[in-house]
Amino acid sequence: MSLVHELEKSGNWLFRRRSWLPAVIIVLAVVYLFIANRSVIYFNLTWELLCILVSVLGELLRSYTVGYVPRNTSGRNVIDQLADELNITGIYSVVRHPLYIGNFLMWLGPVLFLRSVWCLMIFVLAFWLYYERIIFAEEQYLRRKFGEAYDTWAFRVKAVIPGFRHHIKSKLPFSLKNVLKREYNSIANLFIVFAILDLFRNLAVTGRVYMEPLYVTLLTAALIFWAVIRYMVKRTKFLYVEGR
């Protein structure tokens, strides 16, 4: 098998599992908390608010992206590569993979929580190798399906480095309902991850099972938010948007 086909095959394999494989980061982070220098990982409100803000910025980027895209287009596929049309307007006229940049920022927050330069370096390298193959497989699919249209867009717009010179206004209006319907799991998981890290950090440092009030508040709000939106998605059509 040629290198190109090997990269595409591995990229498709990772693509189908990209929603749960990054959870390995949580397991490794918890292990690290038990071997880290206790004086380094003590609760620090300013630093931890900064970590949360980084992750929230990632989710905001994802939400902004999802809020403008139509149904069955590049960037909205979940299991297999799927694109009825090529997204080239809005944020996709600025950068080709905004969702993956959002993912990076979302996971960067919990990694910064560990306060370890080595963990940060390993994360950046692993994330790059992981998503490099996913991006390769996705772009191979888009190139085969859309041909010259894809090549023209890819030549003008960078993969992960934003450029605003060729910005094109999105064809669709922003839909908050679409964001809530598509992103409620990610939004809730963001705060659940921080709560888990705080819980195990406190266990590692003090030997007691508890969470700081900040994380109790965030976790409670996240679970209530998830339950409400979950009910609306499963039991009502309030968040349904035609063509999204």
Side-chain angles (χ1 to χ4, degrees):
M1 182 180 294
S2 68
L3 180 59
V4 170
H5 291 101
E6 179 64 31
L7 288 173
E8 185 174 5
K9 181 180 178 181
S10 63
N12 282 322
W13 187 87
L14 292 170
F15 179 91
R16 289 188 289 270
R17 295 161 177 82
R18 72 193 190 283
S19 62
W20 60 267
L21 277 180
V24 172
I25 296 173
I26 301 176
V27 176
L28 295 177
V30 168
V31 172
Y32 174 79
L33 289 171
F34 282 92
I35 63 176
N37 185 335
R38 293 183 179 181
S39 64
V40 175
I41 61 174
Y42 274 119
F43 178 73
N44 182 308
L45 179 61
T46 301
W47 178 256
E48 292 177 35
L49 286 176
L50 177 62
C51 296
I52 294 170
L53 176 61
V54 170
S55 291
V56 169
L57 287 175
E59 179 54 50
L60 287 175
L61 178 57
R62 284 187 54 87
S63 297
Y64 180 82
T65 303
V66 171
Y68 282 104
V69 295
R71 185 190 302 273
N72 293 341
T73 59
S74 55
R76 290 295 308 280
N77 28 329
V78 178
I79 299 175
D80 293 315
Q81 303 289 356
L82 174 66
D84 290 344
E85 63 180 276
L86 187 65
N87 284 331
I88 60 173
T89 63
I91 196 167
Y92 283 97
S93 66
V94 173
V95 65
R96 297 206 303 271
H97 298 284
L99 291 176
Y100 298 153
I101 298 174
N103 289 349
F104 174 78
L105 292 173
M106 286 184 68
W107 284 105
L108 179 61
V111 173
L112 292 175
F113 179 97
L114 304 178
R115 302 162 174 81
S116 167
V117 174
W118 284 108
C119 288
L120 176 61
M121 293 172 61
I122 292 171
F123 163 72
V124 172
L125 177 60
F127 191 94
W128 173 255
L129 293 175
Y130 181 72
Y131 273 98
E132 179 187 42
R133 282 155 178 74
I134 292 177
I135 288 173
F136 181 86
E138 184 176 307
E139 295 202 344
Q140 285 290 93
Y141 168 81
L142 295 174
R143 180 175 289 108
R144 284 194 294 267
K145 181 159 188 175
F146 298 104
E148 185 177 349
Y150 172 82
D151 288 333
T152 300
W153 171 62
F155 178 79
R156 185 177 68 250
V157 181
K158 301 295 184 182
V160 295
I161 301 176
F164 297 89
R165 291 178 55 195
H166 304 289
H167 179 262
I168 302 172
K169 185 179 179 180
S170 178
K171 295 185 296 184
L172 295 173
F174 181 81
S175 172
L176 178 59
K177 288 184 177 182
N178 200 46
V179 172
L180 292 174
K181 181 174 64 176
R182 301 296 180 181
E183 289 295 300
Y184 73 97
N185 282 319
S186 294
I187 294 171
N189 287 340
L190 186 158
F191 298 108
I192 291 172
V193 167
F194 277 104
I196 290 173
L197 292 180
D198 177 60
L199 179 69
F200 282 100
R201 181 263 306 280
N202 293 333
L203 178 61
V205 171
T206 69
R208 295 187 293 118
V209 178
Y210 73 96
M211 287 190 295
E212 299 290 343
L214 169 66
Y215 295 104
V216 173
T217 301
L218 291 176
L219 178 61
T220 302
L223 293 177
I224 293 174
F225 167 80
W226 183 89
V228 171
I229 302 301
R230 180 76 173 181
Y231 177 84
M232 294 172 69
V233 170
K234 297 297 182 180
R235 301 292 184 177
T236 75
K237 293 187 177 181
F238 179 76
L239 297 179
Y240 174 77
V241 181
E242 183 69 29
R244 300 294 188 101

